[in-house]
Amino acid sequence: MAKGLRKGLTSYGDEGFALFLRKAFIKAMGYSDDALDRPIVGITNTCSDYNPCHGNAPALIEAVKRGVMLSGAMPMVFPTISIHESFAHPTSMFLRNLMAMDTEEMIRAQPMDAIVVIGGCDKTLPAQIMAAASVDLPTVVVPVGPMVVGHHKGEVLGACTDCRRLWSAHRAGEIDEAEIETVNGRLAPSVGTCMVMGTASTMACITETLGLSLPMSATIPAPHAERIRLAEASGAAAARMAVDGGPRPSQLLTPRAFRNATVVMQAIGGSTNGIIHLTAIANRTPHRFDLDMLDELGRQVPVLVDLKPSGAHYMEHFHHAGGVPRLLAQLGDLIDLDAGTVTGRTLREIVAEAEDVPGQDVIRPRSAPIKAEGSMAVLYGNLAPGGAIIKQAAASARLLQHTGRAVVFDSVSDMAARIDDPDLDVAADDVLVLRNTGPKGAPGMPEAGYLPIPKKLGRQGVKDMVRISDARMSGTAFGTIVLHITPESAVGGPLALVESGDMIRLDLAGRRIDLLIDDSEFARRQSLLKPSTSAPMPRRGYARLFQQTVLQADEGCDFDFMVRPPDTD
């Protein structure tokens, strides 16, 4: 098999000339023959002025390059799309598949024997891993790391759980304009991803558990020197893999690895977005992600990590308590420790070296969990025949068995226009319903599932209500919120049948979400329904491709033509 510059030669009809021309042009960069004869490690550059989460990417790139060169290989940096959650219109999820395609094709198009992908902000790591799984080139993932905590009036703050909590307090009139502006400058005190157990942190923990990154990679704070040293070590690991030819993603992304990742996602109080991303990653392999397995493990696996929004602490505290290796040690026989990693060692060997920090209370033993059951549960019922998700660890216990009157919003714009209307017919026991916010309906399945509490109820002291939608929500959010209702309303899902005033029942124990109308009325409404998206079919470009081919939430919201057929052996 060809290696280095000889790999994937441009098609000129003359391979000798193709290599001659490639070397002639790359020598214009000042490379020597010695450098060009070595194995090549590609390094993605996802730095962008629009992406503060990746603000440390240049330093990480330099450290990875150093590790590659110290190990005798040649680093080659190349750019890919960079996605930031709050700078992506209409939503970062809309662009995840584009980033996955971009990363995959740039890896295929350019000669490299191994790859280091650097990312962090919510949809970046999933996109990069989806690409790596499809290409199956030896890959090391370097997360950019979480930011450090902020402070305000003696209180520790974290983006973005505290963003939401304090903004809700501002909406309720408890915090004035001057103070909320002060808070705005203190919530994100450094570069890096959100320092709570949001989607970025969830995916970093999943990545480490899958064996695609080095030990402790998920939790080291972005500004710390240790993060730079980890990047250097990752470059060295990639250089070894470039020579050895593995391990490749296909050797690591196995059924037991996906099960391990699911256990960890439940135990950390992980983001519901992690389910969609893990499904999309699994669908790029011969394997699949099973929602029923997720729910079964949710009944067995307790929440052990005391982090917001399910607990009290932040990612840097998780790191100083021993990080993912210590968590895996606490999970014990719930984890298959014989799973492999990019280091060439098994999880068992890594866990054997996990630090035991005296007195830490961030990573709890199984005998004293934060929550007796896992972070997330799967609901079915006549509103969600394909399933729906609730983050039970961040919900209000009193609302987990609840029947209430529906207050329906037909779109994000409809909700924005009416949610704070003083004349809105809404009470604290009602169920807020948002539809046409799924993959096709919005489009892009925005993080709109965290419907705000109507202002008039917020001022009465209402902090939580049952809220249901076919949208997503940020992993930093909290509340009794049912998400990812499948199929979505825009393609004719039952959520489209709900009318304001209908009664809806949430039954967590029974794992159901139901519209309480009789079968004949359900059938009558269904017969009158004309499925249509709230967004018209785009005329051209990526938006049209997305609308035509995106799958539903239970299939990972990938494009239908990117999914690998399941293993039939």
Side-chain angles (χ1 to χ4, degrees), residues 262-315:
T262 307
V263 170
V264 165
M265 187 163 57
Q266 292 284 21
I268 60 179
S271 166
T272 51
N273 288 307
I275 301 168
I276 292 178
H277 298 321
L278 203 51
T279 301
I281 292 166
N283 284 351
R284 294 293 186 98
T285 76
H287 318 298
R288 290 296 178 265
F289 184 81
D290 186 352
L291 283 179
D292 292 334
M293 176 188 70
L294 170 74
D295 190 69
E296 179 185 349
L297 290 174
R299 297 175 189 268
Q300 301 171 28
V301 179
V303 178
L304 298 184
V305 178
D306 189 6
L307 256 66
K308 290 190 174 185
S310 300
H313 296 288
Y314 298 86
M315 283 297 288

Short mmCIF file of all heavy atoms in Angstrom, two decimals, residues 262-315:
data_model
loop_
_atom_site.label_atom_id
_atom_site.label_comp_id
_atom_site.label_asym_id
_atom_site.label_seq_id
_atom_site.Cartn_x
_atom_site.Cartn_y
_atom_site.Cartn_z
N THR A 262 -22.47 4.58 25.74
CA THR A 262 -23.82 4.80 26.22
C THR A 262 -23.86 4.78 27.75
O THR A 262 -24.55 5.59 28.38
CB THR A 262 -24.77 3.74 25.65
OG1 THR A 262 -24.64 3.72 24.22
CG2 THR A 262 -26.22 4.04 26.01
N VAL A 263 -23.14 3.86 28.35
CA VAL A 263 -23.05 3.80 29.81
C VAL A 263 -22.50 5.11 30.36
O VAL A 263 -23.04 5.70 31.31
CB VAL A 263 -22.17 2.62 30.26
CG1 VAL A 263 -21.87 2.70 31.75
CG2 VAL A 263 -22.85 1.29 29.94
N VAL A 264 -21.41 5.59 29.76
CA VAL A 264 -20.80 6.83 30.22
C VAL A 264 -21.74 8.01 30.01
O VAL A 264 -21.86 8.89 30.88
CB VAL A 264 -19.44 7.05 29.52
CG1 VAL A 264 -18.94 8.49 29.70
CG2 VAL A 264 -18.42 6.07 30.07
N MET A 265 -22.42 8.06 28.87
CA MET A 265 -23.36 9.15 28.61
C MET A 265 -24.44 9.20 29.69
O MET A 265 -24.84 10.28 30.14
CB MET A 265 -23.98 8.97 27.22
CG MET A 265 -24.84 10.13 26.77
SD MET A 265 -25.16 10.12 24.98
CE MET A 265 -25.90 8.51 24.75
N GLN A 266 -24.90 8.05 30.14
CA GLN A 266 -25.90 8.01 31.21
C GLN A 266 -25.28 8.43 32.54
O GLN A 266 -25.89 9.15 33.33
CB GLN A 266 -26.48 6.60 31.32
CG GLN A 266 -27.34 6.15 30.15
CD GLN A 266 -28.73 6.77 30.15
OE1 GLN A 266 -28.96 7.81 30.76
NE2 GLN A 266 -29.65 6.15 29.44
N ALA A 267 -24.05 8.00 32.80
CA ALA A 267 -23.43 8.22 34.11
C ALA A 267 -22.96 9.65 34.33
O ALA A 267 -22.82 10.09 35.47
CB ALA A 267 -22.24 7.26 34.28
N ILE A 268 -22.71 10.39 33.25
CA ILE A 268 -22.22 11.76 33.39
C ILE A 268 -23.34 12.79 33.40
O ILE A 268 -23.09 13.99 33.55
CB ILE A 268 -21.22 12.13 32.27
CG1 ILE A 268 -21.86 12.01 30.89
CG2 ILE A 268 -19.96 11.27 32.37
CD1 ILE A 268 -20.94 12.38 29.73
N GLY A 269 -24.60 12.33 33.24
CA GLY A 269 -25.68 13.31 33.08
C GLY A 269 -25.57 13.99 31.75
O GLY A 269 -25.75 15.20 31.62
N GLY A 270 -25.28 13.21 30.70
CA GLY A 270 -24.90 13.75 29.40
C GLY A 270 -26.02 14.43 28.64
O GLY A 270 -27.20 14.32 28.96
N SER A 271 -25.61 15.14 27.61
CA SER A 271 -26.52 15.88 26.75
C SER A 271 -27.35 14.94 25.88
O SER A 271 -26.85 13.93 25.36
CB SER A 271 -25.72 16.81 25.84
OG SER A 271 -26.51 17.30 24.79
N THR A 272 -28.62 15.29 25.69
CA THR A 272 -29.48 14.52 24.79
C THR A 272 -28.96 14.56 23.36
O THR A 272 -29.22 13.64 22.57
CB THR A 272 -30.92 15.04 24.84
OG1 THR A 272 -30.92 16.46 24.65
CG2 THR A 272 -31.57 14.73 26.17
N ASN A 273 -28.23 15.61 23.00
CA ASN A 273 -27.64 15.67 21.65
C ASN A 273 -26.68 14.52 21.42
O ASN A 273 -26.47 14.09 20.27
CB ASN A 273 -26.90 16.99 21.46
CG ASN A 273 -27.84 18.16 21.30
OD1 ASN A 273 -28.73 18.14 20.48
ND2 ASN A 273 -27.65 19.18 22.11
N GLY A 274 -26.07 14.03 22.49
CA GLY A 274 -25.14 12.92 22.36
C GLY A 274 -25.78 11.69 21.74
O GLY A 274 -25.11 10.90 21.06
N ILE A 275 -27.08 11.52 21.95
CA ILE A 275 -27.78 10.36 21.38
C ILE A 275 -27.81 10.47 19.86
O ILE A 275 -27.52 9.49 19.15
CB ILE A 275 -29.22 10.29 21.93
CG1 ILE A 275 -29.22 10.16 23.45
CG2 ILE A 275 -29.98 9.13 21.30
CD1 ILE A 275 -30.58 10.37 24.08
N ILE A 276 -28.17 11.65 19.36
CA ILE A 276 -28.21 11.85 17.90
C ILE A 276 -26.83 11.65 17.30
O ILE A 276 -26.67 10.97 16.27
CB ILE A 276 -28.76 13.25 17.57
CG1 ILE A 276 -30.24 13.34 17.96
CG2 ILE A 276 -28.59 13.56 16.08
CD1 ILE A 276 -30.86 14.69 17.71
N HIS A 277 -25.82 12.21 17.95
CA HIS A 277 -24.46 12.11 17.39
C HIS A 277 -23.93 10.69 17.46
O HIS A 277 -23.30 10.21 16.51
CB HIS A 277 -23.53 13.06 18.13
CG HIS A 277 -23.90 14.49 18.02
ND1 HIS A 277 -24.38 15.04 16.85
CD2 HIS A 277 -23.88 15.51 18.94
CE1 HIS A 277 -24.64 16.33 17.04
NE2 HIS A 277 -24.35 16.63 18.29
N LEU A 278 -24.16 9.99 18.56
CA LEU A 278 -23.68 8.62 18.69
C LEU A 278 -24.38 7.72 17.67
O LEU A 278 -23.78 6.81 17.10
CB LEU A 278 -23.91 8.12 20.12
CG LEU A 278 -23.04 6.97 20.62
CD1 LEU A 278 -21.56 7.24 20.39
CD2 LEU A 278 -23.31 6.71 22.10
N THR A 279 -25.66 8.00 17.43
CA THR A 279 -26.40 7.26 16.40
C THR A 279 -25.80 7.49 15.02
O THR A 279 -25.60 6.54 14.24
CB THR A 279 -27.88 7.69 16.40
OG1 THR A 279 -28.45 7.44 17.69
CG2 THR A 279 -28.67 6.95 15.34
N ALA A 280 -25.49 8.76 14.71
CA ALA A 280 -24.91 9.08 13.40
C ALA A 280 -23.54 8.43 13.23
O ALA A 280 -23.21 7.93 12.14
CB ALA A 280 -24.80 10.59 13.24
N ILE A 281 -22.73 8.42 14.29
CA ILE A 281 -21.41 7.79 14.22
C ILE A 281 -21.56 6.28 14.00
O ILE A 281 -20.90 5.69 13.14
CB ILE A 281 -20.61 8.08 15.51
CG1 ILE A 281 -20.25 9.56 15.59
CG2 ILE A 281 -19.34 7.22 15.56
CD1 ILE A 281 -19.76 10.01 16.96
N ALA A 282 -22.45 5.66 14.79
CA ALA A 282 -22.65 4.21 14.64
C ALA A 282 -23.15 3.87 13.24
O ALA A 282 -22.76 2.83 12.67
CB ALA A 282 -23.64 3.73 15.69
N ASN A 283 -23.97 4.73 12.66
CA ASN A 283 -24.50 4.48 11.32
C ASN A 283 -23.45 4.63 10.23
O ASN A 283 -23.70 4.23 9.08
CB ASN A 283 -25.68 5.40 11.03
CG ASN A 283 -26.94 4.97 11.74
OD1 ASN A 283 -26.99 3.89 12.34
ND2 ASN A 283 -27.97 5.80 11.69
N ARG A 284 -22.30 5.19 10.57
CA ARG A 284 -21.18 5.24 9.61
C ARG A 284 -20.34 3.95 9.69
O ARG A 284 -19.35 3.82 8.98
CB ARG A 284 -20.30 6.46 9.89
CG ARG A 284 -20.97 7.82 9.64
CD ARG A 284 -21.28 8.04 8.18
NE ARG A 284 -21.79 9.36 7.91
CZ ARG A 284 -21.06 10.39 7.46
NH1 ARG A 284 -19.76 10.23 7.24
NH2 ARG A 284 -21.61 11.56 7.21
N THR A 285 -20.71 3.05 10.58
CA THR A 285 -20.04 1.76 10.74
C THR A 285 -21.03 0.66 10.39
O THR A 285 -22.20 0.94 10.12
CB THR A 285 -19.57 1.57 12.20
OG1 THR A 285 -20.69 1.24 13.03
CG2 THR A 285 -18.88 2.82 12.73
N PRO A 286 -20.61 -0.61 10.41
CA PRO A 286 -21.58 -1.69 10.15
C PRO A 286 -22.55 -1.90 11.31
O PRO A 286 -23.46 -2.74 11.21
CB PRO A 286 -20.68 -2.93 9.98
CG PRO A 286 -19.32 -2.42 9.76
CD PRO A 286 -19.24 -1.12 10.48
N HIS A 287 -22.37 -1.17 12.41
CA HIS A 287 -23.16 -1.38 13.61
C HIS A 287 -24.26 -0.32 13.69
O HIS A 287 -24.37 0.56 12.86
CB HIS A 287 -22.25 -1.35 14.83
CG HIS A 287 -20.97 -2.08 14.63
ND1 HIS A 287 -20.93 -3.43 14.37
CD2 HIS A 287 -19.67 -1.65 14.59
CE1 HIS A 287 -19.67 -3.81 14.20
NE2 HIS A 287 -18.88 -2.75 14.32
N ARG A 288 -25.09 -0.42 14.72
CA ARG A 288 -26.17 0.53 14.91
C ARG A 288 -26.29 0.90 16.38
O ARG A 288 -25.83 0.17 17.25
CB ARG A 288 -27.50 -0.06 14.40
CG ARG A 288 -27.58 -0.21 12.89
CD ARG A 288 -27.53 1.15 12.19
NE ARG A 288 -27.55 1.05 10.75
CZ ARG A 288 -26.46 1.05 9.97
NH1 ARG A 288 -25.26 1.12 10.52
NH2 ARG A 288 -26.58 1.00 8.66
N PHE A 289 -26.90 2.06 16.62
CA PHE A 289 -27.17 2.50 17.99
C PHE A 289 -28.62 2.18 18.30
O PHE A 289 -29.52 2.50 17.52
CB PHE A 289 -26.91 3.99 18.13
CG PHE A 289 -27.08 4.49 19.54
CD1 PHE A 289 -26.07 4.34 20.46
CD2 PHE A 289 -28.25 5.11 19.93
CE1 PHE A 289 -26.21 4.79 21.76
CE2 PHE A 289 -28.42 5.56 21.23
CZ PHE A 289 -27.39 5.40 22.15
N ASP A 290 -28.85 1.57 19.45
CA ASP A 290 -30.17 1.07 19.80
C ASP A 290 -30.78 1.92 20.91
O ASP A 290 -30.26 1.96 22.03
CB ASP A 290 -30.02 -0.39 20.26
CG ASP A 290 -31.35 -1.08 20.51
OD1 ASP A 290 -32.38 -0.39 20.48
OD2 ASP A 290 -31.34 -2.30 20.74
N LEU A 291 -31.90 2.59 20.62
CA LEU A 291 -32.57 3.41 21.63
C LEU A 291 -33.06 2.56 22.80
O LEU A 291 -33.05 3.02 23.95
CB LEU A 291 -33.76 4.15 21.01
CG LEU A 291 -33.44 5.39 20.17
CD1 LEU A 291 -34.74 5.97 19.62
CD2 LEU A 291 -32.68 6.44 20.96
N ASP A 292 -33.46 1.33 22.53
CA ASP A 292 -33.91 0.48 23.62
C ASP A 292 -32.75 0.12 24.55
O ASP A 292 -32.93 0.02 25.77
CB ASP A 292 -34.57 -0.79 23.07
CG ASP A 292 -35.89 -0.49 22.36
OD1 ASP A 292 -36.52 0.54 22.70
OD2 ASP A 292 -36.28 -1.26 21.46
N MET A 293 -31.55 -0.05 23.99
CA MET A 293 -30.37 -0.27 24.83
C MET A 293 -30.11 0.96 25.70
O MET A 293 -29.77 0.85 26.89
CB MET A 293 -29.14 -0.57 23.97
CG MET A 293 -27.86 -0.73 24.79
SD MET A 293 -26.35 -0.85 23.78
CE MET A 293 -26.20 0.81 23.13
N LEU A 294 -30.25 2.14 25.10
CA LEU A 294 -30.06 3.38 25.86
C LEU A 294 -30.99 3.42 27.06
O LEU A 294 -30.58 3.73 28.18
CB LEU A 294 -30.32 4.58 24.95
CG LEU A 294 -30.40 5.94 25.63
CD1 LEU A 294 -29.01 6.41 26.04
CD2 LEU A 294 -31.06 6.97 24.72
N ASP A 295 -32.26 3.08 26.84
CA ASP A 295 -33.22 3.13 27.93
C ASP A 295 -32.94 2.05 28.97
O ASP A 295 -33.02 2.29 30.18
CB ASP A 295 -34.64 2.98 27.39
CG ASP A 295 -35.69 3.26 28.44
OD1 ASP A 295 -35.80 4.43 28.85
OD2 ASP A 295 -36.36 2.33 28.89
N GLU A 296 -32.60 0.85 28.50
CA GLU A 296 -32.29 -0.24 29.43
C GLU A 296 -31.11 0.13 30.32
O GLU A 296 -31.14 -0.07 31.54
CB GLU A 296 -31.99 -1.51 28.65
CG GLU A 296 -31.61 -2.71 29.52
CD GLU A 296 -31.19 -3.93 28.71
OE1 GLU A 296 -31.38 -3.91 27.48
OE2 GLU A 296 -30.64 -4.86 29.30
N LEU A 297 -30.06 0.70 29.72
CA LEU A 297 -28.90 1.11 30.50
C LEU A 297 -29.25 2.26 31.43
O LEU A 297 -28.68 2.38 32.52
CB LEU A 297 -27.75 1.48 29.57
CG LEU A 297 -27.10 0.31 28.82
CD1 LEU A 297 -26.06 0.82 27.83
CD2 LEU A 297 -26.46 -0.67 29.81
N GLY A 298 -30.19 3.11 30.99
CA GLY A 298 -30.61 4.21 31.86
C GLY A 298 -31.23 3.71 33.15
O GLY A 298 -31.16 4.39 34.19
N ARG A 299 -31.83 2.53 33.13
CA ARG A 299 -32.42 1.95 34.34
C ARG A 299 -31.36 1.32 35.23
O ARG A 299 -31.57 1.14 36.43
CB ARG A 299 -33.48 0.91 33.95
CG ARG A 299 -34.67 1.47 33.18
CD ARG A 299 -35.60 0.34 32.75
NE ARG A 299 -36.64 0.77 31.83
CZ ARG A 299 -37.85 1.18 32.20
NH1 ARG A 299 -38.16 1.25 33.49
NH2 ARG A 299 -38.75 1.53 31.29
N GLN A 300 -30.21 0.96 34.64
CA GLN A 300 -29.16 0.25 35.37
C GLN A 300 -28.03 1.16 35.85
O GLN A 300 -27.41 0.91 36.89
CB GLN A 300 -28.54 -0.83 34.49
CG GLN A 300 -29.49 -1.88 33.98
CD GLN A 300 -28.82 -2.77 32.96
OE1 GLN A 300 -27.61 -2.98 32.98
NE2 GLN A 300 -29.61 -3.30 32.02
N VAL A 301 -27.76 2.21 35.07
CA VAL A 301 -26.57 3.03 35.30
C VAL A 301 -26.96 4.29 36.07
O VAL A 301 -27.74 5.10 35.57
CB VAL A 301 -25.90 3.42 33.96
CG1 VAL A 301 -24.68 4.29 34.21
CG2 VAL A 301 -25.54 2.18 33.16
N PRO A 302 -26.41 4.51 37.24
CA PRO A 302 -26.71 5.74 37.97
C PRO A 302 -25.89 6.92 37.45
O PRO A 302 -24.86 6.73 36.79
CB PRO A 302 -26.29 5.39 39.40
CG PRO A 302 -25.18 4.39 39.23
CD PRO A 302 -25.52 3.61 37.98
N VAL A 303 -26.35 8.13 37.72
CA VAL A 303 -25.55 9.32 37.45
C VAL A 303 -24.52 9.46 38.57
O VAL A 303 -24.88 9.61 39.74
CB VAL A 303 -26.43 10.59 37.36
CG1 VAL A 303 -25.55 11.82 37.13
CG2 VAL A 303 -27.45 10.46 36.24
N LEU A 304 -23.26 9.39 38.21
CA LEU A 304 -22.18 9.43 39.20
C LEU A 304 -21.40 10.74 39.20
O LEU A 304 -20.67 11.01 40.15
CB LEU A 304 -21.20 8.27 38.96
CG LEU A 304 -21.76 6.85 39.09
CD1 LEU A 304 -20.64 5.83 38.92
CD2 LEU A 304 -22.46 6.65 40.42
N VAL A 305 -21.52 11.53 38.12
CA VAL A 305 -20.72 12.75 38.01
C VAL A 305 -21.58 13.95 38.41
O VAL A 305 -22.62 14.20 37.79
CB VAL A 305 -20.16 12.91 36.58
CG1 VAL A 305 -19.38 14.21 36.46
CG2 VAL A 305 -19.26 11.73 36.24
N ASP A 306 -21.14 14.67 39.41
CA ASP A 306 -21.91 15.77 40.00
C ASP A 306 -21.58 17.08 39.28
O ASP A 306 -20.89 17.95 39.81
CB ASP A 306 -21.58 15.88 41.50
CG ASP A 306 -22.50 16.85 42.22
OD1 ASP A 306 -23.45 17.35 41.60
OD2 ASP A 306 -22.26 17.10 43.42
N LEU A 307 -22.08 17.20 38.05
CA LEU A 307 -21.84 18.39 37.24
C LEU A 307 -23.16 19.02 36.83
O LEU A 307 -24.15 18.32 36.63
CB LEU A 307 -21.06 18.03 35.97
CG LEU A 307 -19.57 18.41 35.94
CD1 LEU A 307 -18.81 17.61 36.97
CD2 LEU A 307 -18.99 18.18 34.55
N LYS A 308 -23.15 20.33 36.68
CA LYS A 308 -24.30 21.01 36.11
C LYS A 308 -24.48 20.53 34.67
O LYS A 308 -23.49 20.24 34.00
CB LYS A 308 -24.09 22.52 36.15
CG LYS A 308 -24.16 23.10 37.56
CD LYS A 308 -24.21 24.61 37.53
CE LYS A 308 -24.42 25.16 38.95
NZ LYS A 308 -24.60 26.62 38.96
N PRO A 309 -25.72 20.44 34.17
CA PRO A 309 -26.97 20.88 34.79
C PRO A 309 -27.64 19.85 35.69
O PRO A 309 -28.65 20.17 36.29
CB PRO A 309 -27.85 21.18 33.58
CG PRO A 309 -27.39 20.20 32.55
CD PRO A 309 -25.91 20.07 32.75
N SER A 310 -27.08 18.63 35.80
CA SER A 310 -27.71 17.62 36.65
C SER A 310 -27.21 17.71 38.09
O SER A 310 -27.85 17.15 38.99
CB SER A 310 -27.42 16.21 36.10
OG SER A 310 -27.92 16.08 34.79
N GLY A 311 -26.08 18.35 38.31
CA GLY A 311 -25.48 18.43 39.64
C GLY A 311 -25.00 19.83 39.96
O GLY A 311 -25.63 20.82 39.60
N ALA A 312 -23.81 19.91 40.59
CA ALA A 312 -23.37 21.19 41.14
C ALA A 312 -22.03 21.69 40.61
O ALA A 312 -21.76 22.89 40.65
CB ALA A 312 -23.29 21.10 42.67
N HIS A 313 -21.16 20.81 40.11
CA HIS A 313 -19.79 21.19 39.78
C HIS A 313 -19.60 21.47 38.29
O HIS A 313 -20.55 21.48 37.52
CB HIS A 313 -18.83 20.10 40.27
CG HIS A 313 -18.82 19.93 41.75
ND1 HIS A 313 -18.25 20.83 42.61
CD2 HIS A 313 -19.32 18.93 42.54
CE1 HIS A 313 -18.39 20.42 43.86
NE2 HIS A 313 -19.04 19.27 43.84
N TYR A 314 -18.30 21.64 37.90
CA TYR A 314 -17.94 22.01 36.53
C TYR A 314 -16.81 21.11 36.03
O TYR A 314 -16.19 20.37 36.79
CB TYR A 314 -17.53 23.49 36.49
CG TYR A 314 -18.65 24.41 36.89
CD1 TYR A 314 -18.88 24.73 38.22
CD2 TYR A 314 -19.52 24.95 35.95
CE1 TYR A 314 -19.92 25.56 38.61
CE2 TYR A 314 -20.57 25.78 36.31
CZ TYR A 314 -20.77 26.08 37.64
OH TYR A 314 -21.81 26.89 38.01
N MET A 315 -16.52 21.20 34.73
CA MET A 315 -15.59 20.26 34.11
C MET A 315 -14.20 20.28 34.73
O MET A 315 -13.57 19.23 34.87
CB MET A 315 -15.49 20.55 32.61
CG MET A 315 -16.67 20.04 31.78
SD MET A 315 -16.89 18.24 31.82
CE MET A 315 -15.50 17.71 30.80
#
